[in-house]
Amino acid sequence: MTTLFNFSLKLQTLQVAMFTVVAGWGLTVCGQQSDDFQPLNEKMMPGFVADTLARVRQYDPSWLQPVRVELPTAGTVSVYSATSVPNAVLATPAQFSVNAGHIYRLRISEMPEFPNVEVYPSIEILDRMHPPTGRAGDYPIPIVLTEADIREVLDGRMVTRVVYLEQPQLAAILDPLRREIPQSLDPAANALQAADQLGRPMIIVRIGGRTPSGDQMPYMYYGSGGGFDLGNSIPIHTGVVKLSDKRGPKSSIASR
Amino acid sequence: MLSATSKSARLLIPGFAGLALMLNSGCGVLPHLQREPDHVFSSSLPEIPETPVRPASTPVEAHYPDTLNPNATPNPADGTVRMDVKPTLIDGHIAKATVSTLDSPVADQPDARKQVFSQIQLVSFQAEEADTLVQPDSPTFTPAEPRREIDPREEPCNRMETLAASPFADIYSDEYIFDGGDRNAPAGYVAGQRSGFDSEDTVAKYTDHVGDARTSPSNRVAVYAPRFGSVRTVIGLQADIKVDKAAGAKDSQGIGNIKTGNAAQENVHDTMLSGLESRNRVDGMESATPAMQSRRTDSVEQNRKVDEGHEGRQYSSHGSMDRHQGFVLQQQIQNARSWTRDQYPVLTASTTNANQIKATFKVQQTVGLEDERKTKGNIHVVKLADHEMAQAGDTIKFTIRFENTGDFDVYDVSIVDNLTPRLEYLPGTAVIDGQHPGEVLVEDNGEGSSILTFDLDQPLKSHDRGEITFETRVR
């Protein structure tokens, strides 16, 4: 009985403490409201930013936004959406269409610069384009993974890229994406806010060293289940390769 | 005993905290208790007048003009309301409703039937004419007020027309390259200097026949050519390692530097001003202040003393202001009294003399030539592009057509095009048509692109038109 009383007392104390903390947090949040405050950042849980924006903007789920994955020279790109079975395996540059407001998992492999290496980046689609009718496939959002990105990942770091649509009136002379204007930020900086200052954030690309191990993967590791369309792209494998059927990655990052 | 005390104390702490939060003015129950009730409750039930029991009303089937068939034979038993219904709801029942069914003797006549349906159509589609037909006690329709007052004389914010492949060009403008128009500040010339020429602007500058300098912007051309960039962060186990420094994106500042720059000690030392060594005194004599006193002014108290000028205080003292305003105020009070007293009304009388004007008109005749030119010279500029969509590296040929739509000639004609940074002018491609000789001046616009200025050598005559072309490459 005494134990039960002590437990209820501790529970009451904990409730009061939690209420006080939450009330203080609410006041702090109210005090931080300003024009420059960006509540979202790329370090949030993968998929959270896209889901938040999709709830606010109410994207048309029937619209599939073309994206194009470019590797340093060559390689294959597999696209996953909510399952461990890839929707398609494409040769780079791989172009396919996905839903805005969702997160997808990619598998990059067979890169000649990095033999026996595969990485599993995630792409979080934040926004969509509005091209003239029938010309969406001509203007995909590019996802450019450089050799430096892959090398950083192989060294044990995590690379996050925020792809943004450039504001034309603030545009630079050089192409900031392919001509490699270095736009790396301090790790503590909010890359989403920096991209928002330069244009309109479109995609968050996270490349880490984690590789899937069987079917026991975290929630939404393979994506949030958004739509997928191959478009005019031709997959390089006609058969379906299931990750759980494989013996494992040829050379996982953890084993290096 | 001690254990029991500590237990009661642990029980009281959350209790007091919860009570304090409940009594708090922001989130507690006190505001609810202090709130005045918005209803007045009575302990006695009001008397309910006895109402006769009405039979349950039969459901009324709605018919619309499109579904009515004048040739169909109506069934009087179905209770269908056809027209001229003026329902009045009392306690949920339809009362005092004037119902005319088609089986009435009036409706049996063909003309009456036509009138029935014509009235229904009038009520449905011509509301203003139907007002004359409805009875005074019928429900009236009041249109909702517009949410924003519309002034027909109001000019639209953006009068420039946009030529684009998609109607969404103005909404999602960051996906397009624009050229033409007059963005942001209005373009013009102030004392011979260009002013307000933003990138993308295309403006014709000229002088009309009365010597006024005028400008006319062109339309806007939108080319769908989105371009992307990316920012990158690298996070590792050594979180303080910076991989690349941001070039043009952001510079990081160390906290230590900020603290050093804002140190209070440095601010105190910076306020040693040599100018404080001498200042005018009230008696007009000057005296040098020793350096020691100059240093004393660094402190807060001394600074305050220096700022309080004695002469300034005399001129701005309250006493002098009150004395000065007191006379005026007294006079105003007296005036108010004399104007408001009833016993001394002020009478004003005036005499108006009647005047008579006599005029004699003479027939005159004016001999001469009337200038039939009515409208001022005005240059209308139209800009066109040979691409609606483009990729990086594509070449876009722009055409600027200009025309003097006025009746008078215009002079000193220049057409200025400030290219957006995404467009690179291809040298040597600017051409003015053969009928309008002139020169092309290419300048750097400071944003990575060019300003093209086409100066016509001769005035542009009325209703004359010309054409300029140049090519750019999409970056």
Side-chain angles (χ1 to χ4, degrees), chain B residues 70-192:
Chain B
N71 297 324
T73 303
N75 184 9
D78 60 357
T80 302
V81 179
R82 296 297 187 194
M83 56 159 288
D84 200 11
V85 181
K86 296 174 286 296
T88 303
L89 291 178
I90 299 175
D91 294 336
H93 299 279
I94 296 176
K96 296 182 181 178
T98 305
V99 178
S100 298
T101 54
L102 289 182
D103 58 341
S104 62
V106 180
D108 290 339
Q109 301 174 5
D111 294 339
R113 176 175 296 181
K114 287 180 182 177
Q115 188 180 2
V116 165
F117 289 104
S118 64
Q119 283 183 3
I120 291 176
Q121 289 173 359
L122 281 174
V123 170
S124 300
F125 301 107
Q126 300 178 13
E128 57 273 4
E129 292 184 22
D131 289 340
T132 60
L133 300 175
V134 297
Q135 299 297 326
D137 56 345
S138 61
T140 58
F141 172 74
T142 304
E145 295 181 357
R147 295 185 178 181
R148 177 179 172 273
E149 289 186 3
I150 299 173
D151 188 359
R153 297 168 298 177
E154 182 182 2
E155 294 183 358
C157 298
N158 186 2
R159 299 175 59 183
M160 297 172 292
E161 185 184 1
T162 301
L163 301 178
S166 170
F168 300 111
D170 286 326
I171 302 174
Y172 305 103
S173 58
D174 52 356
E175 302 178 18
Y176 290 81
I177 296 176
F178 284 92
D179 198 23
D182 188 3
R183 185 168 66 91
N184 290 343
Y189 282 80
V190 178

Side-chain angles (χ1 to χ4, degrees), chain A residues 149 158 161 164 166 172 185, chain B residues 174 227 229-230 232 235 391:
Chain A
D149 292 340
M158 180 174 176
R161 278 187 177 270
Y164 62 89
E166 197 178 38
L185 299 177
Chain B
D174 52 356
R227 196 173 76 168
S230 74
R232 187 180 78 148
I235 301 174
Q391 301 278 3

Side-chain angles (χ1 to χ4, degrees), chain A residues 27 91 101 108 132 137 139 150 209 213 221 232 251:
Chain A
L27 292 174
I108 309 294
Y139 297 93
I150 308 297
S213 55
Y221 177 83
N232 296 326
S251 174

Side-chain angles (χ1 to χ4, degrees), chain B residues 351-387:
Chain B
T351 305
T352 304
N353 294 326
N355 293 324
Q356 187 175 9
I357 300 174
K358 288 185 179 179
T360 304
F361 295 95
K362 294 180 180 179
V363 178
Q364 291 183 348
Q365 185 178 11
T366 301
V367 178
L369 293 176
E370 183 183 1
D371 192 353
E372 296 181 349
R373 296 182 295 180
K374 301 295 183 186
T375 58
K376 283 183 178 179
N378 181 31
I379 293 184
H380 184 62
V381 187
V382 176
K383 189 162 191 177
L384 302 170
D386 64 345
H387 282 64

